[in-house]
């Protein structure tokens, strides 16, 4: 059929008017008339009515619809009915429905061998089931107190027999009837806990108990991870009989029988007996069981007791040796004393294993600092109190509770910065441990970025998306929201340490974890505003104590526009670098970046409080709005003008004078700069007049977009670095000279009077090599540089402490004399030579 166009429908409505609309509405609303005419059953009449509506929308042509709208008799209905009957005769036969079938043995094999990645979680799952049984009993006993009459204590007891490889888990919970055994244990993926929660929801009491753990209905079958056979003996207070469920790992069936052994009867609850596989009998050691309970079920609401071997010391008498007794009798003088020895008496008894309570479930006001410290030490096996802690509850879109800690010291022997899987964040769901690899499972969406991996803590939530095995956290929007809130709380905690009155606390923190925060500058651009106030550096005005960026900005001079820094390998070289000379005179503070990661961190930070970070070892250094004199001293004429009298014209005049002086200097040394550039060739990109030097003759600065000397040194030291990129990333080098220095003045005279003088040219080479070292670069040929220095030393030291050798004319013209070292006094006539400047003629 063809669909009517909008133009055709409008034409129909316009031509037919309201009368046509009434004719159209009649067939649609009067399906009973159609049934009477057809004489068919209800189902067919429904089909006809539906078919009639279809024809109105999908008729083959507009003419047929127009005829329909204008028709008043029932002839058209009959014709349409015949067409529909023909279509119904040719329809497809009804489809049959089938139920999904499952091969039980294969399904059990998948659950046992494919669902769980770690065998030891079987104990966590079974303890969780026992906890749910106790929770159900506690809830039901509110309205039925008689359920607790047989056994008042609500607890879980685990007994391990390492000799026979048997583990027994007993709880005093609600137990199961025979039918519940069939429904819960005989039906795979049917959760009794989920069914219980559904009944609470149906009774509008879902909020009465939200501590139940189970939800998938497969946790019980984790017992077959380590067991060949499992026996479940259970007694429900709703039944007078106790039943035993028995199943094997490779079987597709199970058996249920009534318990007849009076010694095995339970007052109430369930007892699971696991007969471990040959390779898994190590789980039956009491120490192993205790460790698993503390790891996975430490914070379960009910007490968990394990059967442990204990001992106490006592003194017992020892029979004397007959020979020694005879000797003592002969002496007779010494008082006879009974001999004893200390022995250890061993016995077996129940020991409470989960004694640590989940303090995160309490409000922060109720928890003392001592309780936080004790919880931290027991949970993370630490011996020192944490520097800080943060206990908070998040409600709303995501609900979870958490406690975060900052350790007192960094772990030794661990590369936490390199390895993101630090196992410092423990994830709990309803107080049951799920994973300590919470920060490693989601590479980009885990709760903590790599640079905050030192933070330790617990996170407990009821809303986390887990897989069926409850081992893997799935990526979701909830996890991303949790990440943001946890990171923000961690920064607030660290900021609290930095603002503490005890400055030593943050110094201790920075000593241990400062590098982590610097990595955050590189990896986490979103949190730059949170990281920057926490950074600490030495500076030119604070070499003994580190300062923050806030303190630096507060100490900035009014005329200072940027935050200056210099990167070096240690404080001594940073303190003595020639790049600092003019800034020290201007009293501008310069940050010393002495850690290998500092320069990269600052470059990623780029700015702080609208102040750009500027490397003073690179070209185009702008030292502020105020000009300086050619001698390098600050021009204080402008600064001495009182603010109320300050005339803008005075400032402009002073600026103009300094600009003119700067132009004169550039013109005077333009030839010298070209001469030096010609001599150095491709070693430097250009030679310029320096505005950063006051006492040094020259300095070698890096290009604006290339590596600094410090970065070049670090990249050369990389064991896996690509040496082919060194020449490219090294960038241009600019040779800056100080026109006020005497050496540069002498070279300026040489360039004008005798530019080809070899001594002057060698002086340029030596000057460049010296600037290379003083600027932090590594000379390409250290041996050649050493030869030049030795040559200069030889010239400077010659004849300084010893008279020069000379030849005496006279009686023995071939005799060499060496000053006062000769015993003969010989009068020597010497020629006096006047000193002149290099390149001038006498």
């Amino acid at each position: 059929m063809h669909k009517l166009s909008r133009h055709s429908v409008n034409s129909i409505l316009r031509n037919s008017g309201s009368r046509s609309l009434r004719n159209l509405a009649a067939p649609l609303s009067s399906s009973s008339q159609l049934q009477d005419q057809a004489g068919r059953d209800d189902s067919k009449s429904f089909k006809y009515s539906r078919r009639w509506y279809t024809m109105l929308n999908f008729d083959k042509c507009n003419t047929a619809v127009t005829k329909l709208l204008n028709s008043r008799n029932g002839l058209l209905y009959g014709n349409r009915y015949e067409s529909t009957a023909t279509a119904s005769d040719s329809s497809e036969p009804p489809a049959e429905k089938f139920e999904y079938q499952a091969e039980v043995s294969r399904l059990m094999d998948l659950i046992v061998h494919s669902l769980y990645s770690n065998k030891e979680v079987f104990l966590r799952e079974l303890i969780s089931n026992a906890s749910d049984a106790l929770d159900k009993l506690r809830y039901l006993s509110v309205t039925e107190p008689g359920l607790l009459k047989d056994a008042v204590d609500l607890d879980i007891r685990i007994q391990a027999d390492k000799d026979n490889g048997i583990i027994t888990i007993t709880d005093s919970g609600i137990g199961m009837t025979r039918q519940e055994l069939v429904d819960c244990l005989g039906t795979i993926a049917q959760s009794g806990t989920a069914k219980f929660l559904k009944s609470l929801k149906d009774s509008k009491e879902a909020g009465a108990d939200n501590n139940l753990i189970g939800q998938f209905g497969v946790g019980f079958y984790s017992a077959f991870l380590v067991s060949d056979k499992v026996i479940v003996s259970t007694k429900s207070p709703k039944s007078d009989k106790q039943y035993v469920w028995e199943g094997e790992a490779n079987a597709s069936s199970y058996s249920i029988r009534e318990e007849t052994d009076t010694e095995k009867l339970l007052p109430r609850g369930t007892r699971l007996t696991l007969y471990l596989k040959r390779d898994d009998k190590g789980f039956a050691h009491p120490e192993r069981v205790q460790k698993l309970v503390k790891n996975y079920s430490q914070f379960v609401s009910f007490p968990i007791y394990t059967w442990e071997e204990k001992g106490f010391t006592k003194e017992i008498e020892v029979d004397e040796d007959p020979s020694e007794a005879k000797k003592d009798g002969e002496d007779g003088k010494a008082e006879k004393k009974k001999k004893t020895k200390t022995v250890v008496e061993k016995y077996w008894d129940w020991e409470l294993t989960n004694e640590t309570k989940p303090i995160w479930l309490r409000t922060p006001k109720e928890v003392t600092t001592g309780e936080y410290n004790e919880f931290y030490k027991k949970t993370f096996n630490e011996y020192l109190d944490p520097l800080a802690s943060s206990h908070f509850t998040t409600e709303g879109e995501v609900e979870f509770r958490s406690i975060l800690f900052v350790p007192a010291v960094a772990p030794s022997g661990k590369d936490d910065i390199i390895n993101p899987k630090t196992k410092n964040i423990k994830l709990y769901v309803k107080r049951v441990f799920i994973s300590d690899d919470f920060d490693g499972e989601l590479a980009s969406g885990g709760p903590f970025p790599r640079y905050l991996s030192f933070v330790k803590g617990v996170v407990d939530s009821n809303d986390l998306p887990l897989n069926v095995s409850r081992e893997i956290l799935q990526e979701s929007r909830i996890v991303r929201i949790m990440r943001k809130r946890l990171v923000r709380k961690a920064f607030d905690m660290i900021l609290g340490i930095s603002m503490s009155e005890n400055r030593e606390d943050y110094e201790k923190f920075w000593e241990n974890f400062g590098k982590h925060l610097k990595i955050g500058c590189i990896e986490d651009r979103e949190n730059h505003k949170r990281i920057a106030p926490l950074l600490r550096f030495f500076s030119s005005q604070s070499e003994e104590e580190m300062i923050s960026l806030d303190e630096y900005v507060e100490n900035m001079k009014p005329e200072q526009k940027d935050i200056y820094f210099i990167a070096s390998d240690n404080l001594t070289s940073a303190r003595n670098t020639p790049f600092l000379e003019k800034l020290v005179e201007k009293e501008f503070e310069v940050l010393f970046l002495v850690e290998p990661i500092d320069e990269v961190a600052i470059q990623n930070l780029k700015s702080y409080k609208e102040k750009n970070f500027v490397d003073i070892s690179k070209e185009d250094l702008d030292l502020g709005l105020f000009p300086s004199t050619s001698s390098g001293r600050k021009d204080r004429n402008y600064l001495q003008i009182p603010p109320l009298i300050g005339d803008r014209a005075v400032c402009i005049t002073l600026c103009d004078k300094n600009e003119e002086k700067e132009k004169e200097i550039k013109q005077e040394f333009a030839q010298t700069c070209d001469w030096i550039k010609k001599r150095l060739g491709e070693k430097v990109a250009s030679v310029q007049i320096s505005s950063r030097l006051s006492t040094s003759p020259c300095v070698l600065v890096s290009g604006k977009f290339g590596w600094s000397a410090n970065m070049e040194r670090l990249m050369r030291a990389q064991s896996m670095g690509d040496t082919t990129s060194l020449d490219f990333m090294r960038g241009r080098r600019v040779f800056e000279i100080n026109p006020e220095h005497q050496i540069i003045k002498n070279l300026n005279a040489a360039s004008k009077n005798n530019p080809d003088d070899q001594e002057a040219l060698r002086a340029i080479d030596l000057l460049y090599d010296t600037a290379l070292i003083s600027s932090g670069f590594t000379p390409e040929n250290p041996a050649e540089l050493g030869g030049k220095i030795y040559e200069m030393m030889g010239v400077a030291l010659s004849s300084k402490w010893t008279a020069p050798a000379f030849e005496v004319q006279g009686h023995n013209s071939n005799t060499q004399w060496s000053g006062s070292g000769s015993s003969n006094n010989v009068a020597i006539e010497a020629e006096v030579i006047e000193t002149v400047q290099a390149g001038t003629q006498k």
Side-chain angles (χ1 to χ4, degrees):
M1 296 183 180
H2 300 279
K3 186 174 181 180
L4 291 176
S5 65
R6 179 178 298 181
H7 176 75
S8 301
V9 174
N10 292 338
S11 177
I12 291 172
L13 295 177
R14 184 170 61 252
N15 295 333
S16 301
S18 61
R19 178 174 58 83
S20 300
L21 292 176
R22 288 193 299 271
N23 294 338
L24 176 62
L28 292 174
S29 60
S30 303
S31 59
S32 59
Q33 297 179 4
L34 186 61
Q35 296 175 19
D36 295 339
Q37 293 177 6
R40 302 295 183 184
D41 57 9
D42 294 340
S43 62
K44 290 186 177 182
S45 65
F46 174 77
K47 255 194 298 185
Y48 301 147
S49 175
R50 188 175 178 184
R51 188 70 175 178
W52 177 251
Y53 176 80
T54 304
M55 186 197 72
L56 290 179
N57 288 275
F58 302 95
D59 204 353
K60 292 183 179 180
C61 61
N62 294 341
T63 305
V65 177
T66 305
K67 181 179 179 181
L68 169 67
L69 294 174
N70 293 330
S71 176
R72 291 180 176 271
N73 53 36
L75 180 60
L76 183 59
Y77 304 126
N79 292 340
R80 194 61 191 170
Y81 163 73
E82 292 177 357
S83 175
T84 306
T86 304
S88 63
D89 293 340
S90 62
S91 62
E92 296 181 359
E96 297 183 55
K97 291 185 178 181
F98 296 90
E99 297 290 337
Y100 288 107
Q101 302 296 322
E103 187 177 345
V104 178
S105 60
R106 179 60 179 160
L107 181 60
M108 287 291 295
D109 182 73
L110 289 174
I111 292 175
V112 172
H113 297 98
S114 302
L115 193 59
Y116 298 94
S117 60
N118 193 355
K119 284 186 175 183
E120 64 184 22
V121 300
F122 82 94
L123 193 60
R124 179 196 70 182
E125 297 295 312
L126 298 180
I127 292 177
S128 299
N129 289 344
S131 176
D132 283 349
L134 292 168
D135 264 322
K136 293 175 190 176
L137 178 64
R138 184 171 58 180
Y139 172 75
L140 294 175
S141 64
V142 175
T143 55
E144 301 179 52
L147 296 176
L148 297 175
K149 64 180 180 178
D150 295 328
V152 180
D153 295 334
L154 302 180
D155 56 24
I156 303 171
R157 298 179 182 269
I158 305 174
Q159 188 172 4
D161 184 357
K162 65 180 180 180
D163 297 329
N164 298 316
I166 299 174
I167 297 178
T168 303
I169 305 172
T170 306
D171 68 76
S172 56
I174 190 64
M176 288 178 283
T177 63
R178 184 180 185 280
Q179 186 59 41
E180 288 173 341
L181 278 175
V182 175
D183 294 340
C184 297
L185 302 188
T187 305
I188 299 175
Q190 176 168 316
S191 172
T193 300
K195 187 176 181 180
F196 181 74
L197 289 174
K198 185 177 184 300
S199 64
L200 292 181
K201 184 177 181 180
D202 294 340
S203 61
K204 298 181 181 180
E205 297 181 4
D209 196 325
N210 195 27
N211 293 326
L212 298 173
I213 302 169
Q215 53 181 322
F216 299 113
V218 295
F220 166 76
Y221 306 102
S222 64
F224 292 106
L225 287 170
V226 296
S227 307
D228 286 327
K229 182 173 68 173
V230 178
I231 297 178
V232 181
S233 183
T234 181
K235 170 69 169 62
S236 172
K238 300 179 183 179
S239 175
D240 297 333
K241 298 180 181 180
Q242 179 173 324
Y243 294 95
V244 178
W245 182 98
E246 184 173 343
E248 296 183 0
N250 297 323
S252 59
S253 61
Y254 60 91
S255 63
I256 298 178
R257 58 180 172 84
E258 183 180 346
E259 182 62 77
T260 57
D261 190 350
T262 56
E263 295 182 356
K264 297 182 179 179
L265 292 179
L266 298 171
R268 183 194 65 243
T270 303
R271 180 174 58 239
L272 275 73
T273 306
L274 311 181
Y275 295 87
L276 302 181
K277 299 176 182 178
R278 181 178 179 181
D279 296 338
D280 298 317
K281 288 188 177 182
F283 288 105
H285 286 266
E287 297 82 3
R288 183 80 179 273
V289 171
Q290 189 180 47
K291 180 180 178 181
L292 293 178
V293 171
K294 288 185 176 181
N295 188 29
Y296 288 100
S297 305
Q298 177 77 6
F299 304 108
V300 170
S301 300
F302 301 95
I304 302 175
Y305 295 94
T306 54
W307 190 246
E308 301 290 336
E309 184 180 24
K310 301 181 179 181
F312 63 92
T313 59
K314 67 177 183 179
E315 299 288 335
I316 61 173
E317 295 183 4
V318 180
D319 296 336
E320 293 185 7
D321 189 7
S323 60
E324 294 182 359
K326 183 178 180 181
K327 184 177 180 181
D328 293 339
E330 294 176 353
D331 294 340
K333 296 180 180 180
E335 184 179 355
K336 186 177 181 180
K337 296 181 180 179
K338 295 182 179 180
K339 292 187 177 182
T340 61
K341 69 176 182 179
T342 303
V343 296
V344 178
E345 190 77 19
K346 294 185 178 181
Y347 66 98
W348 289 84
D349 197 4
W350 295 106
E351 181 177 351
L352 180 63
T353 304
N354 60 334
E355 56 184 352
T356 305
K357 301 302 179 183
I359 62 174
W360 65 79
L361 298 178
R362 298 158 57 185
T363 58
K365 295 181 180 179
E366 299 176 355
V367 186
T368 64
T369 303
E371 289 177 311
Y372 283 127
N373 295 342
E374 190 67 22
F375 175 83
Y376 169 76
K377 292 177 182 178
K378 289 185 177 180
T379 305
F380 299 100
N381 297 322
E382 294 285 348
Y383 62 94
L384 294 175
D385 294 337
L387 284 178
S389 62
S390 177
H391 181 188
F392 58 94
T393 301
T394 301
E395 297 179 351
E397 189 174 6
V398 179
E399 296 184 4
F400 66 92
R401 298 172 181 265
S402 178
I403 301 180
L404 301 178
F405 299 95
V406 175
V409 295
S412 59
K414 294 182 179 179
D415 295 331
D416 286 346
I417 298 180
I418 299 175
N419 181 16
K421 298 183 179 182
T422 58
K423 301 184 183 298
N424 285 339
I425 300 297
K426 296 182 180 293
L427 171 65
Y428 293 84
V429 173
K430 299 179 181 179
R431 305 171 316 283
V432 177
F433 176 74
I434 298 300
S435 174
D436 56 4
D437 194 18
F438 190 24
D439 50 352
E441 288 171 352
L442 306 176
S444 60
F448 275 97
R450 184 176 67 155
Y451 66 92
L452 288 179
S453 59
F454 63 89
V455 177
K456 297 184 178 183
V458 296
V459 178
D460 188 6
S461 175
N462 299 336
D463 303 327
L464 293 183
L466 302 173
N467 69 341
V468 179
S469 65
R470 297 197 298 169
E471 293 176 319
I472 301 175
L473 185 65
Q474 299 173 352
E475 172 66 83
S476 69
R477 186 174 56 87
I478 293 177
V479 177
R480 292 192 293 270
I481 295 174
M482 287 182 62
R483 169 190 170 92
K484 291 182 179 179
R485 296 184 181 178
L486 288 171
V487 169
R488 185 172 67 246
K489 289 293 183 179
F491 277 119
D492 293 342
M493 180 171 53
I494 299 173
L495 184 61
I497 302 175
S498 67
M499 299 176 65
S500 174
E501 296 180 357
N502 188 2
R503 193 180 180 96
E504 294 180 357
D505 288 343
Y506 196 74
E507 291 177 357
K508 188 176 182 180
F509 167 83
W510 184 257
E511 180 182 355
N512 288 279
F513 308 110
K515 293 180 181 178
H516 291 70
L517 297 183
K518 294 173 185 177
I519 290 180
C521 297
I522 302 172
E523 296 184 347
D524 193 358
R525 295 182 179 273
E526 295 181 0
N527 289 305
H528 275 179
K529 291 184 178 180
R530 292 189 174 99
I531 298 174
L534 304 175
L535 300 178
R536 297 292 185 271
F537 301 99
F538 292 106
S539 73
S540 58
Q541 298 180 8
S542 179
E543 298 180 8
E544 302 295 332
E545 187 175 346
M546 288 187 169
I547 64 170
S548 65
L549 294 180
D550 288 324
E551 292 173 322
Y552 181 96
V553 173
E554 185 178 350
N555 296 333
M556 288 177 63
K557 297 294 180 181
E559 65 269 24
Q560 185 177 346
K561 299 185 300 183
D562 302 314
I563 300 176
Y564 301 114
F565 70 88
I566 180 67
S568 185
D569 56 346
N570 55 65
L571 279 175
T572 303
S573 60
R575 186 189 305 118
N576 298 316
T577 182
F579 299 106
L580 274 178
E581 295 173 359
K582 186 59 67 69
L583 287 98
V584 170
E585 284 191 359
K586 286 179 170 288
E587 298 181 357
F588 288 172
E589 192 171 12
V590 179
L591 297 177
F592 291 162
L593 310 185
V594 294
E595 294 288 340
I597 196 175
D598 287 353
E599 185 176 2
V600 183
I602 290 297
Q603 288 175 351
N604 281 270
L605 207 57
K606 294 183 180 179
S607 64
Y608 181 71
K609 291 186 176 180
E610 299 181 354
K611 307 287 186 182
N612 294 325
F613 289 99
V614 175
D615 188 350
I616 64 172
S617 68
K618 294 193 174 182
E619 63 177 335
D620 297 335
L621 178 65
D622 183 8
L623 296 182
L625 297 173
F626 296 95
S628 57
T629 63
S630 59
S631 62
R633 296 186 299 272
K634 184 187 296 184
D635 190 346
R636 301 182 180 272
N637 294 329
Y638 176 75
L639 297 177
Q640 291 175 353
I641 299 175
L644 297 177
I645 312 175
D647 188 357
R648 184 177 179 84
V650 177
C651 176
I652 295 175
T653 303
L654 293 175
C655 292
D656 292 342
K657 288 182 179 179
N658 283 274
E659 288 179 1
E660 293 177 0
K661 191 175 296 184
E662 183 178 352
K663 289 181 180 179
E664 292 177 0
I665 293 175
K666 288 184 178 181
Q667 291 177 359
E668 181 182 353
F669 287 87
Q671 182 179 347
T672 304
C673 292
D674 296 338
W675 178 56
I676 295 176
K677 173 64 175 72
K678 182 179 180 181
R679 176 62 180 178
L680 297 179
E682 298 298 328
K683 294 180 180 180
V684 297
S686 63
V687 179
Q688 299 176 3
I689 302 299
S690 178
S691 61
R692 71 187 85 205
L693 298 176
S694 59
T695 59
S696 298
C698 60
V699 72
L700 197 62
V701 302
S702 303
K704 192 173 183 179
F705 302 103
W707 284 339
S708 65
N710 180 69
M711 183 59 62
E712 185 175 330
R713 176 180 57 84
L714 293 175
M715 296 307 295
R716 287 181 182 274
Q718 298 296 319
S719 59
M720 302 299 292
D722 183 10
T723 57
T724 59
S725 63
L726 290 177
D727 293 336
F728 175 75
M729 290 303 299
R730 183 174 61 183
R732 47 181 282 159
R733 294 176 180 175
V734 178
F735 189 68
E736 292 188 359
I737 59 175
N738 180 10
E740 300 296 327
H741 198 278
Q742 187 61 41
I743 294 178
I744 302 302
K745 291 180 178 179
N746 292 338
L747 290 178
N748 184 42
S751 66
K752 296 178 179 177
N753 299 325
N754 191 4
D756 296 329
D757 185 79
Q758 292 301 316
E759 293 184 3
L761 296 177
R762 284 198 299 270
I764 294 175
D765 295 337
L766 185 60
L767 203 62
Y768 170 80
D769 291 336
T770 306
L772 200 69
I773 297 176
S774 63
S775 302
F777 295 99
T778 303
E780 297 180 358
N781 192 344
E784 182 181 355
L785 174 60
K788 294 177 182 178
I789 295 176
Y790 296 151
E791 181 182 355
M792 296 294 293
M793 291 177 62
V795 174
L797 299 179
S798 63
S799 305
K800 187 169 184 179
W801 295 286
T802 60
F806 53 86
E807 188 175 306
V808 181
Q809 296 179 0
H811 178 71
N812 189 0
S813 60
N814 296 326
T815 304
Q816 295 289 335
W817 298 88
S818 58
S820 60
S822 175
S823 59
N824 300 319
N825 294 326
V826 181
I828 301 172
E829 183 179 355
E831 181 184 359
V832 178
I833 302 176
E834 296 180 1
T835 58
V836 296
Q837 287 187 348
T840 61
Q841 296 179 357
K842 172 69 177 170

